[in-house]
């Protein structure tokens, strides 16, 4: 007899589709469960079967060569009509629903069948975990309990399968949006900076061409235009750098950390020379990290140590130590220091404790440092007292 369709057939089929499981490759997690069912219940055949509109397909099978059968002859079609209970057929030859079924009258000569429906949390039966024998049998209460328990395990595996596909899909979307963001930052960088460069260079041309002919007030205005444009240029660069930071995975390699300090010092060479700063470099170990990002980190920290001095000659130390089995690196200065009540805020983008007349800057440097450390799985903090220098320290996870 052909089984009637479940009352929620359309939703059931939709749910099955969501699991993306039909016609997928065998998976050990499912095969382990059918093996278990066959061996503990001592059955020659155990199957994880899933029913779509046309057929029952076996996600996992023990003791059977075929991969699917038409839905019309599937015992499972009957089992899913009652998601809450096991369908047990002690002798198929004696059951009018199955006596003339070709799976009974011919190979694989089913006599005994017990199927526990695989039910989603909202009550849709996708298929069964079933065991089959070539001779009539009857399950004990314990065996029925076991089959139910195993069927819930199959359902857990189906959920995991669904989640892992969703995760892969999310990963792909994330990669796509990262690529788009990178594209955006590249284009924005070019498009925003190009007109700025024009403003700066034409202002310079004006200054050179008109020179002494400029009224003092006009000369001052021109100077302000150039100053504003330069600041905007720095702001755009820093903002783009901050945006780029979260966008891609780290390029992790193993290298001596001093390479990054050297890179930062080269980039700051002019400012170091002009300020007459003294620098003390401690021994640094080999680490695993993103070289470009860590160079930028040191450049920002050393740059700040050069800047926030209140006119004194900067004295800067690159520190390295160990705490609870972890390397701790740092940049220590003897500059103006930071009021403890503001120390939490300085890592936020645009947070500055001084106005531009005192110290130039965009307020993004420490936000970049913070993100770089965070991306390495590390921690960043500052020890400082107003007027007594600052020691920025970080770990790399
Ligand atoms: P910026 O340097 O552009 O102002 P940062 O994000 O690098 O921005 O720093 C944020 C604020 O933290 C600074 O404006 C300054 O007030 C404070 N700060 C950072 N580094 C130091 C330092 N070495 N000594 C004293 N203050 C500092």
């Amino acid at each position: 007899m052909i089984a009637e369709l479940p009352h929620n057939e359309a939703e059931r089929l939709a749910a099955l589709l969501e699991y993306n499981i039909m016609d997928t490759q065998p998976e050990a997690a499912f095969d382990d469960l059918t093996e278990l069912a066959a061996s503990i219940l001592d059955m020659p055949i155990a199957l994880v079967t899933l029913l779509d509109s046309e057929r029952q397909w076996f996600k996992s099978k023990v003791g059977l060569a075929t991969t699917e059968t038409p839905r019309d002859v599937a015992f499972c079609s009957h089992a899913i009509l009652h998601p809450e209970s096991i369908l047990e057929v002690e002798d198929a030859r004696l059951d009018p629903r199955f006596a003339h079924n070709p799976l009974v009258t011919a190979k694989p000569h089913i006599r005994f069948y017990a199927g526990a429906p695989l039910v989603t949390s909202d009550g849709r039966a996708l298929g069964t975990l079933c065991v089959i024998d070539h001779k009539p049998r009857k399950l004990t209460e314990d065996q029925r309990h076991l089959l139910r328990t195993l069927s819930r395990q199959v359902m857990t595996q189906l959920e995991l399968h669904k989640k892992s596909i969703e995760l892969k899909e999310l990963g792909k979307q994330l990669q796509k949006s990262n690529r788009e963001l990178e594209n955006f930052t590249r284009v924005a960088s070019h498009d925003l900076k190009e007109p700025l460069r024009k403003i700066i260079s034409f202002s310079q041309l004006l200054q050179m061409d008109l020179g002494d002919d400029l009224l003092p007030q006009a000369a001052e205005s021109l100077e302000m235009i150039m100053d504003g444009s330069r600041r905007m240029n720095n702001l755009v660069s820093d903002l783009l750098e901050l945006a780029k930071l979260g966008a891609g995975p780290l390029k992790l390699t193993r290298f001596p950390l001093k390479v990054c300090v050297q890179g930062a010092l080269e980039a700051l060479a002019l400012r170091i020379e002009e300020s007459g700063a003294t620098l003390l470099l401690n021994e640094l170990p080999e680490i695993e990290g993103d070289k470009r990002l860590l160079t930028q980190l040191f450049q920002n920290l050393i740059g700040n140590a050069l800047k926030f001095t209140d006119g004194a000659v900067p004295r800067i130390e690159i520190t390295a130590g160990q705490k609870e089995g972890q390397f701790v690196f740092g940049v220590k200065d003897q500059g103006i220091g930071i009021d403890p009540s503001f120390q939490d805020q300085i890592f936020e983008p645009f947070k500055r404790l001084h106005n531009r007349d005192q110290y130039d800057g965009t307020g993004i440097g420490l936000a970049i440092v913070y993100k770089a450390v965070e991306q390495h799985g590390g921690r960043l903090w500052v020890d400082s007292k107003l007027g007594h220098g600052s020691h920025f320290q970080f770990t790399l996870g």
Side-chain angles (χ1 to χ4, degrees), residues 300-301 304-305 307-308 333 335-338 346 348 351-354 360-367 390 392:
N300 280 312
L301 289 181
N304 280 349
K307 183 163 59 171
F308 295 103
D333 64 48
I336 60 172
I338 303 164
I346 53 174
E348 291 168 20
K351 193 73 200 177
R352 311 198 62 224
L353 305 180
H354 306 92
D360 200 19
T362 60
I364 297 178
L366 283 182
S390 309
F392 284 88

Side-chain angles (χ1 to χ4, degrees), residues 37-298:
S39 96
I40 300 181
L41 298 173
D42 190 24
M43 298 277 173
I45 299 173
L47 308 163
V48 169
T49 98
L50 297 155
L51 278 175
D52 69 13
S53 56
E54 305 288 329
R55 60 193 170 129
Q56 70 167 338
W57 174 78
F58 306 135
K59 172 63 188 169
S60 172
K61 53 189 169 38
V62 168
L64 204 65
T66 41
T67 53
E68 60 185 43
T69 76
R71 179 166 172 171
D72 287 353
V73 299
F75 279 54
C76 188
S77 308
H78 295 267
I80 62 167
L81 294 176
H82 303 285
E84 67 292 342
S85 54
I86 288 180
L87 171 67
E88 186 172 353
V89 180
E90 293 175 17
D91 188 343
R93 288 170 305 182
L94 307 180
D95 189 318
R97 289 173 295 178
F98 304 110
H100 303 292
N101 187 308
L103 303 174
V104 177
T105 54
K107 265 190 169 169
H109 298 291
I110 298 178
R111 296 293 173 266
F112 173 81
Y113 169 94
L118 304 171
V119 191
T120 64
S121 56
D122 43 9
R124 292 156 192 180
L126 308 176
T128 67
L129 168 67
C130 63
V131 285
I132 291 170
D133 206 343
H134 306 297
K135 54 182 193 288
R137 287 182 56 168
K138 186 171 168 45
L139 293 184
T140 64
E141 204 40 57
D142 281 353
Q143 287 174 323
R144 290 170 75 88
H145 181 71
L146 189 102
L147 190 62
R148 259 244 164 278
T149 308
L150 288 178
S151 76
R152 280 197 295 271
Q153 285 302 313
V154 173
M155 207 51 228
T156 306
Q157 289 307 324
L158 282 171
E159 295 295 347
L160 280 177
H161 179 92
K162 185 172 158 191
K163 285 275 174 298
S164 89
I165 287 180
E166 283 169 2
L167 266 182
K168 270 187 207 147
E169 195 45 48
L170 273 180
K172 269 194 218 150
Q173 281 174 13
L174 195 65
Q175 270 182 354
K176 185 166 167 262
S177 67
N178 281 344
R179 271 199 303 275
E180 281 169 3
L181 184 64
E182 262 175 44
N183 259 347
F184 166 77
T185 50
R186 241 199 333 270
V187 172
S189 148
H190 182 264
D191 289 4
L192 288 174
K193 286 189 146 193
E194 203 264 344
L196 274 175
R197 269 196 293 273
K198 264 206 186 114
I199 296 173
I200 296 170
S201 51
F202 279 104
S203 306
Q204 278 169 340
L205 264 183
L206 262 182
Q207 210 177 32
M208 273 163 39
D209 286 353
L210 296 177
D212 298 340
D213 296 344
L214 275 174
L215 291 173
Q217 209 180 350
E220 200 180 315
S221 301
L222 204 53
E223 200 52 60
M224 281 166 81
I225 290 174
M226 291 201 293
D227 182 50
S229 313
R230 276 193 210 105
R231 257 189 298 120
M232 177 122 171
N233 197 38
N234 290 340
L235 191 63
V236 170
S237 305
D238 283 359
L239 262 181
L240 292 172
E241 208 47 64
L242 187 65
K244 259 194 279 174
L245 256 175
L250 295 182
K251 290 198 183 86
L252 290 179
T253 51
R254 247 199 118 63
F255 59 89
L257 188 59
K258 75 163 188 275
V259 173
C260 297
V261 177
Q262 281 162 348
L265 294 179
E266 272 164 34
L268 295 165
L270 194 65
R271 284 175 60 193
I272 294 172
E273 201 189 315
E274 279 173 2
S275 65
T278 55
L279 272 143
L280 180 64
L281 262 72
N282 285 297
E283 194 77 27
L284 292 171
E286 241 191 26
I287 55 108
E288 182 165 287
D290 186 311
K291 207 185 281 181
R292 192 187 71 85
L293 223 57
L294 293 176
T295 305
Q296 207 177 4
L297 174 152
F298 276 112

Side-chain angles (χ1 to χ4, degrees), residues 326-327 373 376-379 395-397:
Q326 228 181 1
F327 282 120
V373 170
H376 280 84
R379 209 167 66 78
T395 62
L396 290 175

Side-chain angles (χ1 to χ4, degrees), residues 340-354:
S341 54
F342 295 119
Q343 286 176 10
D344 286 347
Q345 302 170 23
I346 53 174
F347 301 112
E348 291 168 20
F350 305 114
K351 193 73 200 177
R352 311 198 62 224
L353 305 180
H354 306 92

